[in-house]
Amino acid sequence: MDLLGALEKQASGQQGPETPTCSRKGCTAPAQWRILWNNPKIHDPQRRKAWLGCDEHRQWLEDFLRARLFWRSTEPMAAGSS
């Protein structure tokens, strides 16, 4: 899933996919997790950006963000959220 493209569609009022998919490149699995992060060098401390993760890639996405000190929290996807 092209997360940036999906966010641009949301901002323009276009509908995104009915079932959100994992943000890991090449993965088309349904998202089970919201991995919240921010880059403290460019984002306000309260701002949270979100990557979506499936069970298989959740840890990989978290590790990627933790290595850069960007990871803030991980939450389960709410039923019906997109």
Side-chain angles (χ1 to χ4, degrees), residues 5-78:
L7 293 176
E8 288 172 350
K9 283 181 182 179
Q10 265 186 345
S12 68
Q14 295 177 356
Q15 290 291 341
E18 208 166 298
T19 302
T21 58
C22 181
S23 297
R24 178 76 163 105
K25 186 176 182 177
C27 184
T28 59
Q32 302 296 320
W33 302 96
R34 293 181 67 233
I35 298 119
L36 304 176
W37 64 280
N38 78 353
N39 180 342
K41 291 182 181 179
I42 60 174
H43 299 130
D44 292 331
Q46 299 81 16
R47 181 166 181 195
R48 293 293 181 265
K49 298 184 66 113
W51 282 353
L52 305 179
C54 65
D55 286 332
E56 180 180 350
H57 294 116
R58 172 189 174 184
Q59 191 64 51
W60 188 95
L61 294 165
E62 287 177 355
D63 290 345
F64 181 91
L65 293 168
R66 280 188 177 114
R68 290 152 182 81
L69 304 176
F70 293 174
W71 180 83
R72 298 298 173 250
S73 66
T74 300
E75 304 172 349
M77 292 285 289

